Amino acid sequence: MAPQRFKKPPQAPPLFTGTPKSVMEDTKRLIERSRSLENRVVAEVKPEDATFDKVLLPMAYDENEGGLETHIIGFYQSVSTDQALRDASTEAEKLMDDFSIESSMREDVYKLVESAFKKGDKLDAESQRLLEKTHKDYIRNGLGLPAGPKRDRYKEIKKRLSQLCIVFSKNLNEEVGGIWFTSEELKGVPEDVTSLFEKGEGENDGKLRMTFKKPDYFPTLKYATDPVTRKKAYIDDTNKLPQNVPIFREVIVLRDEAARLLGYPNHAAFIIEDKMAKTPKTVDDFLGDLRQRLTKGGRSEIKTLTDMKKQEYKSRGMEQSFDGNYYLWDNRYYDRLMLEKDYSLDQAKIAEWFPLETSIRGMLTIFETLFGLTFVEITGNDRSSISPSGRGDDIVWHPDCQVFSVWDSEDQGSGFVGYLYLDLHPREGKYGHAANFNIQPGFINANGTRHYPVTALVCNFSKPTPKKPSLLKHEEVTTLFHELGHGIHDLVSKTHYSRFHGTNVVRDFVEAPSQMLENWCWTPSQLKALSHHYSTLSPEYEAAWREQAGKDASTPEKKLPDELIENLVKTKHVNDALFNLRQLHFGIFDMTIHEPNSHEEAEAFKLSEMYNKIGYDITQLDSPAQVGAGYDWGHGQTTFGHLLGGYDAGYYGYLSSQVYSADMFHTVFAKDPMNGEEGRRYRHMVLEKGGSQDEMETLKGFLGREPNGDAFYRELGLA
């Protein structure tokens, strides 16, 4: 039991009591407050008198305060069960984005910022960084263009792009498609999965409905023995959002036009200028080199998997229908089969040792030990006691939510750190993947006190049933650990300004801290510590397990057996080349569409064909195109939320970040992953800094040298 003082944090959690009406009213109030502040600064400060304290500091404080409400307003569209509230959240985000664009193109404010910038007053490092970035942002937002048609067009494009990206994301979140399959067509898919499928009536009587949500879709691709079922699931999922086809096209064309208006050769050059890579050539060279290194391994892996497919067809008397191809919808199925046959690895069996609740507790314990933290779950009456409204239900947006207050451990001073929320199961209208959302940023108030951050993990793990808790496949354990890593980054960051808080770092570094933490999910001692067989959690679960396993089955060990751990760890790099070639498909497609040689080329892009052809050229995974359908068979780009959600000309960061994450892990943690001294050093030198200093300086400070790719290439067997 945690001490009583842990229960009463010095800062109350936020309220999630927004209505469609209040969301719109609050948005307009916040916009007007910020506009009035800018007007006042312009009215009161002459360019010759402009300083950081007079111009940028008031706006920074306004940004800090505004984030306490705007993040929640925008969050509702990803988690609310109320369609009207989700719609209002989307509309509010459009208003906020429109205002942000107008604000970023105010020449009168820019002149004051430029004057303060040129003065060269001595500032602390974070304030200097804010001044430099703000000044550059005005130029990148079109104020380097002369007033007139070009600048007006740029502003028009920015507003249109904002609207398009919001609608694209809303379409993704609210997609409700699915396929009715017979039980025979779903043969092989675990009952744990199909028991949660909607049961058909009328013309669909006797059928089960697979939705395109991850807990339905991925197990179907992995386990359905009927290749026709897998093919239909894959192709229909790829084509589930036809309304996003024209949106994606318009976005790519407008981005190119906007970059050229500012004098850049293309959108990639505009975006990457501010990243660690600095130039598209650096990115293209990195991706090209990695592709060259991986290609031979990928071909070898496909040959092995194709041979396995041929053998399986033969054993099932299906030789006549084997065409020698290895399709996109084959990959999850045969990858799983290989792990089971060649490595004695049954993912469903291993999942029995990773119930969601105990896995979370185990992960939080790891973070407590490493980083000097304490997590206290807030339940029942304790929620009411800290709720500003006195109602515990008001501090969550859904009954599924868990809330934790987070504290420093005694050796770190026992101070309050912030709040962590977990929203882990799928529901209609909810964000469909796994992500960390900042709910309220951390910063220093104008009076010198600290506002503590609030962060949320939004995931889509399978729901518990009466016979079993929610069980995590190992890849889901890794996903949860990764997203929790982003959450910890968000929580322990300590910056003056919310602009630099937590994961507000450059895109080609942001994944590195979480990717580094994934290594703990492959460390035998930590797998043992995280594991806890579900049958030992309650008499009901034990009875259900016995019913399934048989009366004569021996009682499972409470912790994951060493033999299974050994088998699991051996699979870390199985089919790794193919996995990373798939990542290269996404990264190279992203760069290709954002690096046209001319605007006319961008306008002429056949994006669906490009997406599928680039994918085949890189991975050699067959698709309908290899059997005569043409490369326009699917629209995979329409579900690629990253490219319209901030990762444009930035998806390469998932691969380049691994260079940094592998370097940090193997240099500092590999020998002793639970070294609390190094963990605390990492917390304070890397995570705490957020984006308040140059990310390369952060890395060099922690490593004691320039980062390099040696560990990354060794990990992939390419050194």
Side-chain angles (χ1 to χ4, degrees):
M1 182 69 182
Q4 186 64 31
R5 62 195 170 95
F6 283 141
K7 286 192 176 180
K8 276 284 186 184
Q11 173 184 300
L15 295 174
F16 297 92
T17 53
T19 64
K21 185 170 182 282
S22 73
V23 158
M24 296 307 292
E25 289 174 348
D26 290 342
T27 300
K28 290 170 183 174
R29 170 180 53 80
L30 290 165
I31 288 172
E32 190 48 47
R33 187 181 75 185
S34 296
R35 184 181 284 121
S36 296
L37 172 70
E38 290 177 347
N39 290 341
R40 190 167 67 250
V41 168
V42 168
E44 293 176 359
V45 183
K46 295 176 182 176
E48 59 269 24
D49 299 327
T51 63
F52 178 87
D53 287 353
K54 289 178 181 177
V55 178
L56 284 101
L57 198 56
M59 294 194 296
Y61 286 145
D62 180 65
E63 183 179 16
N64 289 350
E65 288 293 322
L68 303 183
E69 296 183 72
T70 58
H71 292 196
I72 293 172
I73 288 169
F75 184 56
Y76 284 128
Q77 67 191 276
S78 297
V79 294
S80 177
T81 55
D82 180 356
Q83 176 76 55
L85 183 54
R86 293 200 304 271
D87 290 345
S89 172
T90 302
E91 287 306 309
E93 189 174 0
K94 289 178 185 175
L95 289 179
M96 290 188 286
D97 281 2
D98 278 355
F99 171 71
S100 176
I101 292 163
E102 285 192 21
S103 175
S104 68
M105 295 186 73
R106 281 191 64 160
E107 188 157 19
D108 49 1
V109 179
Y110 168 58
K111 284 179 177 175
L112 295 176
V113 170
E114 186 172 42
S115 180
F117 177 74
K118 287 179 175 176
K119 270 202 173 70
D121 291 344
K122 186 69 176 169
L123 300 169
D124 65 90
E126 189 175 338
S127 296
Q128 182 64 33
R129 186 168 174 81
L130 180 66
L131 174 59
E132 290 171 3
K133 281 195 167 287
T134 303
H135 179 255
K136 190 169 188 179
D137 283 347
Y138 277 108
I139 296 171
R140 287 170 60 82
N141 279 309
L143 288 174
L145 294 171
K150 277 192 173 183
R151 190 191 291 183
D152 292 343
R153 175 59 182 156
Y154 185 81
K155 183 177 179 180
E156 183 185 341
I157 291 172
K158 292 282 284 185
K159 286 193 172 186
R160 179 64 178 158
L161 281 171
S162 165
Q163 292 168 358
L164 290 168
C165 291
I166 289 169
V167 173
F168 186 95
S169 176
K170 183 178 174 65
N171 290 341
L172 266 176
N173 287 348
E174 303 205 339
E175 184 278 321
V176 291
I179 306 171
W180 290 102
F181 285 121
T182 64
S183 297
E184 185 62 27
E185 288 170 327
L186 290 170
K187 190 176 178 180
V189 182
E191 188 190 352
D192 291 357
V193 177
T194 57
S195 65
L196 296 174
F197 285 8
E198 181 187 345
K199 292 168 180 59
E201 297 175 356
E203 65 176 335
N204 292 311
D205 188 36
K207 292 184 177 181
L208 299 169
R209 187 173 188 267
M210 180 211 78
T211 72
F212 297 122
K213 303 299 182 191
K214 281 188 174 182
D216 290 8
Y217 173 65
F218 282 165
T220 301
L221 285 185
K222 260 189 166 181
Y223 291 98
T225 56
D226 186 346
V228 176
T229 298
R230 299 195 305 270
K231 178 181 178 179
K232 183 165 180 55
Y234 190 94
I235 291 177
D236 284 16
D237 176 72
T238 303
N239 292 299
K240 67 190 175 186
L241 287 167
Q243 64 270 43
N244 275 354
V245 171
I247 294 175
F248 194 93
R249 161 171 295 287
E250 188 176 352
V251 165
I252 300 309
V253 172
L254 288 177
R255 282 175 176 166
D256 187 71
E257 182 184 351
R260 292 175 194 278
L261 280 172
L262 294 182
Y264 292 90
N266 50 54
H267 183 68
F270 169 71
I271 289 291
I272 295 169
E273 175 186 68
D274 259 6
K275 306 295 184 285
M276 293 178 81
K278 304 304 181 194
T279 68
K281 184 180 186 306
T282 302
V283 175
D284 292 335
D285 288 350
F286 168 69
L287 296 176
D289 174 61
L290 188 56
R291 176 181 179 178
Q292 189 176 9
R293 292 178 187 236
L294 289 169
T295 294
K296 185 179 178 182
R299 302 293 182 271
S300 173
E301 289 169 7
I302 286 179
K303 183 180 185 310
T304 303
L305 290 161
T306 306
D307 289 345
M308 176 174 276
K309 177 180 175 179
K310 184 177 181 180
Q311 283 301 115
E312 194 221 16
Y313 270 51
K314 186 177 180 181
S315 69
R316 292 171 59 191
M318 296 166 55
E319 299 103 313
Q320 298 302 314
S321 54
F322 179 71
D323 62 4
N325 289 330
Y326 186 73
Y327 293 103
L328 287 159
W329 49 86
D330 288 330
N331 199 45
R332 285 183 183 272
Y333 179 78
Y334 289 104
D335 181 73
R336 188 261 310 166
L337 217 56
M338 177 184 280
L339 296 179
E340 289 180 6
K341 289 187 174 179
D342 296 353
Y343 295 87
S344 305
L345 188 74
D346 183 342
Q347 288 283 9
K349 183 76 175 170
I350 282 180
E352 293 182 4
W353 275 272
F354 293 103
L356 180 57
E357 285 301 315
T358 58
S359 298
I360 288 167
R361 284 204 294 273
M363 290 177 188
L364 295 181
T365 299
I366 289 173
F367 291 133
E368 288 181 337
T369 304
L370 264 181
F371 301 136
L373 296 168
T374 302
F375 296 86
V376 181
E377 187 167 7
I378 305 168
T379 58
N381 291 332
D382 290 338
R383 289 189 180 183
S384 300
S385 73
I386 64 170
S387 171
S389 69
R391 286 172 44 85
D393 289 348
D394 289 349
I395 66 168
V396 295
W397 55 87
H398 190 271
D400 283 354
C401 289
Q402 294 172 265
V403 195
F404 296 81
S405 59
V406 187
W407 305 79
D408 284 321
S409 57
E410 284 189 21
D411 70 289
Q412 295 296 298
S414 302
F416 183 60
V417 173
Y419 290 101
L420 170 67
Y421 282 79
L422 304 178
D423 181 359
L424 301 174
H425 301 297
R427 57 180 179 269
E428 192 170 318
K430 181 183 168 184
Y431 176 80
H433 299 280
N436 170 238
F437 290 79
N438 175 265
I439 304 298
Q440 288 188 335
F443 54 82
I444 302 299
N445 290 301
N447 63 7
T449 60
R450 177 160 175 73
H451 184 277
Y452 302 98
V454 182
T455 197
L457 259 65
V458 177
C459 304
N460 285 275
F461 301 119
S462 61
K463 292 183 177 180
T465 67
K467 293 186 176 182
K468 283 184 183 177
S470 176
L471 299 176
L472 301 178
K473 307 286 193 296
H474 180 257
E475 64 184 351
E476 293 177 314
V477 173
T478 306
T479 295
L480 183 56
F481 211 75
H482 176 103
E483 296 304 335
L484 264 174
H486 284 310
I488 300 302
H489 196 175
D490 204 5
L491 283 165
V492 304
S493 172
K494 284 187 177 177
T495 61
H496 258 78
Y497 307 112
S498 61
R499 172 81 60 92
F500 300 129
H501 174 76
T503 56
N504 285 328
V505 296
V506 289
R507 286 287 188 187
D508 47 359
F509 179 72
V510 69
E511 297 298 333
S514 283
Q515 286 172 337
M516 189 194 78
L517 289 167
E518 289 180 22
N519 287 283
W520 274 252
C521 298
W522 294 98
T523 303
S525 59
Q526 297 318 304
L527 284 168
K528 180 78 81 171
L530 280 173
S531 63
H532 193 120
H533 198 277
Y534 81 91
S535 66
T536 65
L537 296 177
S538 75
E540 292 79 12
Y541 287 153
E542 183 180 10
W545 178 83
R546 288 222 165 273
E547 182 185 329
Q548 184 181 20
K551 292 180 180 178
D552 299 331
S554 55
T555 302
E557 294 179 40
K558 185 176 180 180
K559 293 291 186 181
L560 190 62
D562 290 339
E563 182 186 356
L564 288 181
I565 291 176
E566 188 179 330
N567 290 347
L568 177 61
V569 171
K570 280 180 185 173
T571 68
K572 183 177 183 183
H573 295 297
V574 171
N575 296 328
D576 224 9
L578 210 43
F579 173 81
N580 282 294
L581 285 167
R582 290 277 284 154
Q583 292 295 99
L584 279 171
H585 165 208
F586 304 141
I588 290 174
F589 172 74
D590 174 28
M591 290 300 292
T592 303
I593 62 176
H594 289 121
E595 285 187 284
N597 292 314
S598 67
H599 188 59
E600 291 69 31
E601 185 180 330
E603 291 178 313
F605 276 158
K606 294 181 177 178
L607 292 162
S608 296
E609 291 184 22
M610 289 170 68
Y611 181 86
N612 294 318
K613 187 170 191 316
I614 288 170
Y616 177 71
D617 289 347
I618 293 170
T619 68
Q620 293 292 290
L621 289 169
D622 295 315
S623 74
Q626 276 62 62
V627 287
Y631 280 107
D632 60 351
W633 63 268
H635 310 298
Q637 76 279 10
T638 61
T639 67
F640 201 167
H642 289 80
L643 296 197
L644 272 71
Y647 278 83
D648 42 307
Y651 195 87
Y652 74 89
Y654 278 100
L655 287 163
S656 65
S657 288
Q658 286 183 40
V659 173
Y660 308 133
S661 65
D663 200 358
M664 289 190 290
F665 178 74
H666 288 284
T667 301
V668 179
F669 290 106
K671 288 181 182 175
D672 183 7
M674 293 310 294
N675 185 323
E677 186 177 331
E678 289 291 12
R680 284 156 175 76
R681 187 171 75 87
Y682 177 70
R683 171 185 171 178
H684 296 304
M685 292 190 73
V686 179
L687 302 180
E688 198 171 276
K689 300 297 183 188
S692 65
Q693 65 182 30
D694 184 84
E695 289 80 3
M696 186 57 76
E697 293 307 310
T698 296
L699 268 174
K700 288 195 290 191
F702 180 64
L703 292 169
R705 57 167 172 76
E706 293 267 355
N708 63 60
D710 296 351
F712 172 66
Y713 289 117
R714 267 200 316 275
E715 270 274 311
L716 294 177
L718 301 173

